Structures are given as structure tokens and as C-alpha cells.
Amino acid sequence: MSTSLNTVRTIDAQPFAFPFALASTALVIIDMQRDFVEPGGFGASLGNDVGLLQAIVPTAQAMLHAWREAGGWVVHTREGHLPDLSDCPPAKRLRGAPSLRIGDPGPMGRILIRGEPGHAIIPELAPIDGELVIDKPGKGAFYGTPLREALQVRDITHLLFMGVTTEVCVQTTMREANDRGYDCLLIEDGTESYFPGFKAAAMEMIRAQGAIVGWTAPSAAVLAALNAPAEPMPHGVAA
Ligand code: C5J
């Protein structure tokens, strides 16, 4: 594997190839928290089968390790609220009829509250030193967070996404990123939904109309790009 962070690699993606350089690309892992992936958390309180989300953990972990080994930078996000719920709109907390609401005590502490056991990222994907953790009160990772500034400081122009759930926090963040000028790619087997049809539809929406929101590719294609010999830098692609 080449160790250069500035040389361009190309992912065999849909709807067409996705060139990127490690130096200007971040791997963004959305909300791989116990509250969404484990029984007794927020996802389960809404009546969802969390086993669907657990199935992507080995793939996401392999991708994360390969990205770190290549020298890539990682951003993790966590959805959650302050203990006094001052950043949780009543419209979010009171909606529907979940078995437990945001802030209620559950088997992993208070549901979707920062600092509680359920709010933590699962151990398989835990952040390490040098990686950024963004705490977000909403679905999108740019809303009410310093993510934009953190990406600008590092001259990041490209984002690869994994995490949950595909059509909620992942797609919302990709749309926010697209509107802010980032080239975004969703790793198909590194994301999951409680609703398989929603995942499939979200991926179609993202890459339709000439990548109107972004690209999609399987993790094998990303790994192949990381392992491929470095290409010469084409004109117009920032290092
Ligand atoms: C949801 C998320 N589904 N992380 N949050 O409420 O997608």
C-alpha cells in the first residue's frame, strides 16, 4: 500500500468513479452508538429490530481499521441531548408513542442523553486519539455542531460515510455536506437501516441524476482503492 496521503486514488463507485486523496478526505461514521445498535436503547424503544444494524459492525470495523492503517482521518458522530434536555425540541421528544422517550431511564441509562452508557459508541468502533467526535442534537451532523469548521481547518473536501441509520442521520448529513460543497460517498455495506427498503431507496436517491447527492460503493471497492498503486495527480483535483 502506498503511504502517500496526497496521491489520488479512485473508487469504483456508482454512478461513476470517485477520485480522492487521503489528505483531503475524512471517513465519517454516523451514530454507531449503543442507543441505536443494542437492545434497550432509543432504536429499540421505537419498536425496531436492532439486529439488522448489528450485522454491519464487522464490515464497518474492517473498513475503519483499513482507513486508519492507510493514514486516513476519522470523524465519529453521536446523536444525543444535554441532561436537562434544553437542546431537545419538545416536538422531537413527544412525537409518537415509543416505549421510552428521550431522557427516560432505560437499561443503558437515560435514553439518548450525553454521558449515559447508551450514548457511547460501540466498543468495536470506539474513537482513538486524534479522531474527532461530534456530538449532535439533530439528525444532520452539521446542525448545531462545529463540524464545518473542523473540516475547513484540515482542508477536507471529500467525505466517505458509514453508520446508521441510512435514510435518517446518514442521508441527512450527506445532504447537508453536499449543500456545503463536499464530495460525498456512502459505503453501501457500512450503513444500515431498520427498514431494508428505506436503505435501498436512500442509496438510489443519493446516486441518481448523476450523483445529485453523492456516490455509493461497496467497502471492497474502497479497500481496493486504498491498496491500489498511487496514480499521478490529475489536473484540477486538490491534494
Ligand atoms: C435516528 C439516526 N434514526 N442516527 N437517528 O433517529 O439515524
Side-chain angles (χ1 to χ4, degrees):
M1 180 184 302
S2 165
T3 54
S4 171
L5 300 183
N6 287 308
T7 47
V8 171
R9 302 148 196 279
T10 302
I11 299 172
D12 184 8
Q14 290 192 61
F16 43 82
F18 183 88
F20 73 101
L22 278 164
S24 53
T25 305
L27 175 65
V28 183
I29 307 178
I30 302 286
D31 300 357
M32 288 300 289
Q33 297 162 253
R34 299 183 65 200
D35 255 327
F36 293 105
V37 177
E38 294 187 16
F42 181 61
S45 80
L46 296 169
N48 296 308
D49 172 9
V50 294
L52 285 166
L53 273 50
Q54 285 166 6
I56 65 162
V57 172
T59 302
Q61 190 178 31
M63 187 69 245
L64 173 60
H65 287 170
W67 188 257
R68 283 174 176 160
E69 195 181 322
W73 188 52
V74 182
V75 177
H76 305 258
T77 72
R78 298 185 295 207
E79 182 178 352
H81 297 280
L82 297 168
D84 66 2
L85 296 174
S86 57
D87 61 351
C88 181
K92 180 177 182 182
R93 178 172 144 74
L94 299 176
R95 191 169 304 151
S99 59
L100 292 170
R101 293 191 187 277
I102 296 169
D104 287 349
M108 293 190 289
R110 294 178 67 200
I111 296 286
L112 225 55
I113 298 296
R114 294 184 192 175
E116 299 287 341
H119 182 256
I121 293 171
I122 59 171
E124 295 90 333
L125 301 175
I128 61 173
D129 280 353
E131 296 178 351
L132 178 66
V133 179
I134 291 287
D135 280 317
K136 61 187 185 66
K139 306 303 183 201
F142 288 85
Y143 169 68
T145 78
L147 178 57
R148 181 78 194 270
E149 292 72 22
L151 297 177
Q152 283 174 330
V153 162
R154 285 183 164 257
D155 291 328
I156 298 292
T157 55
H158 291 57
L159 303 174
L160 305 191
F161 285 90
M162 298 198 295
V164 297
T165 60
T166 315
E167 80 284 5
V168 185
C169 290
V170 176
Q171 186 177 202
T172 302
T173 302
M174 285 187 76
R175 288 174 181 273
E176 287 183 331
N178 186 51
D179 283 347
R180 287 164 176 78
Y182 296 94
D183 280 330
C184 300
L185 179 140
L186 177 58
I187 300 174
E188 294 164 7
D189 45 349
T191 184
E192 196 48 89
S193 169
Y194 300 119
F195 305 91
F198 289 176
K199 173 180 176 177
M203 289 198 302
E204 286 296 326
M205 285 179 219
I206 285 164
R207 63 192 175 215
Q209 305 178 75
I212 197 151
V213 174
W215 287 250
T216 78
S219 59
V222 182
L223 295 173
L226 290 178
N227 285 306
E231 303 161 24
M233 179 80 68
H235 182 70
V237 176

